[in-house]
Amino acid sequence: MTRIAAALDALLLEKLPPIDHVDLVLVRLPFVSPFAISTAVWTTKDALLLRLESGGVAAWGECVADPDPFYASETTTTARHILKDFLLPRLEPGITLSELERRMRHVRGNEMACATLENAVLDLIAKAKGVPLHALLGAARKKVPSGISIGLQESPAALVAAVGDAVAKKYHRVKMKIQKGKDLDYVRAVRERFPELPLMVDANGDYRLDDAEHLAGLDAFDLTMIEQPLSYHDIYQHALLQMTLKTSLCLDESIHSLDDAAAAIALGSCRILNLKQGRVGGILESMRILELAAAHGIPVWSGGMDETGIGRAVNIHLQTLDGFTLPGDTSETSRYFHEDLVEPGVVLDADGFIDVPEGPGFGARVVEERLARLKISEEKIL
Ligand code: OSB
Ligand code: MG
């Protein structure tokens, strides 16, 4: 049995502690600079947070949904509705995580809402035991390599400058957002300036299968992968596209579950997986996907949703698991925020690695004064 399978079996037997208070909090953190993808431009991070309190200990789950449906169909508002009306009523002290998962499966889709509850419950269980989240997951890695995702830029020169800043920071690989009309020239400029840098692109579904010949132009730039070139819910056409390209494809938006990952692997829709725990219903499902991918020799990396320090920490703990064989999208806090909700924030060391937090649970402290300032609404559920 693999280390992940053993850890998962043990986790599923963990029991829910009694919960005294439940709150849903919406926060808004201004971005240092706008972040643009092919379907959206964000100037703030709006995040829905779930706070569970048990015996004076507060645990948190950050929902990765945006306030709009431009990356995924879930939004902060739909997640709040699903959590409040369907998921939180299914919480019951003493039930196992396995039973909680079974109850959550009655809710179709809404993986981001489900992950929010699961993350908060795991944080609570880890804190009740006084151990960091990665210990609960059975992982021993002490630091993880950091990669960065650079949003769409005004010109190839601006992109080259942004990549230069990332290289100076020692990020282990650089991902560049592309869209129709902002692709070959942009990537060529970066590749000419940085011949050896591990580079990849992410289209967030901006192309159609008809664009296969155009996309084949990217084969010249020695990219590690092209992430989600086709529609946000397609698996089949990516398989057809992959057959025509030298460069590996990677799926992001299309993968919501272990079953989706199995379909993509079986069809040859991608050779690499972007695993966002918040997009697949949480950490437990992520562990299953890691196992499946490893069994098929598919490299996996941890994606990001420009999370606040809460979700960012979860992604770091997750990446201590075997099976994350490529650097992820977890970059340092200061690249998105002047001020985060938590202390300490995420920083890169001189070699572009992030230390795994060793405090209980997700391992950072929510600064109450900042939370009060950045909060735009709060709903007391219990
Ligand atoms: O497609 O991976 C994506 C951010 C928001 C929505 C979608 C994506 C992204 C990123 C940024 O690429 C990842 C990060 O820095 O957290
Ligand atoms: Mg992506």
Side-chain angles (χ1 to χ4, degrees), residues 9 47 59 63-64 74 79 90 103 148 176 183 192 205 239 258 298 314 367 371:
D9 279 358
C63 182
V64 301
E74 289 184 81
R90 285 172 164 75
R103 293 182 183 194
I148 190 168
M176 302 168 287
D183 47 26
E192 278 171 5
L258 177 67
I298 300 283
V314 170
V367 182
L371 180 69

Side-chain angles (χ1 to χ4, degrees), residues 71 175 177 202 204 227 252-253 274 276:
Y71 162 78
K175 162 167 138 183
K177 293 292 185 181
D202 184 0
N204 291 104
E227 183 178 341
D252 172 1
E253 283 91 330
N274 168 335
K276 290 182 182 167

Side-chain angles (χ1 to χ4, degrees), residues 42-56:
W42 292 291
T43 55
T44 60
K45 173 67 191 177
D46 289 28
L48 176 68
L49 308 176
L50 170 65
R51 182 178 183 276
L52 302 178
E53 195 181 312
S54 171

Side-chain angles (χ1 to χ4, degrees), residues 148 150 158-171 174 194:
I148 190 168
I150 296 179
L159 179 59
V160 170
V163 173
D165 291 344
V167 169
K169 278 276 189 182
K170 295 286 195 305
Y171 280 104
V174 174
F194 302 101

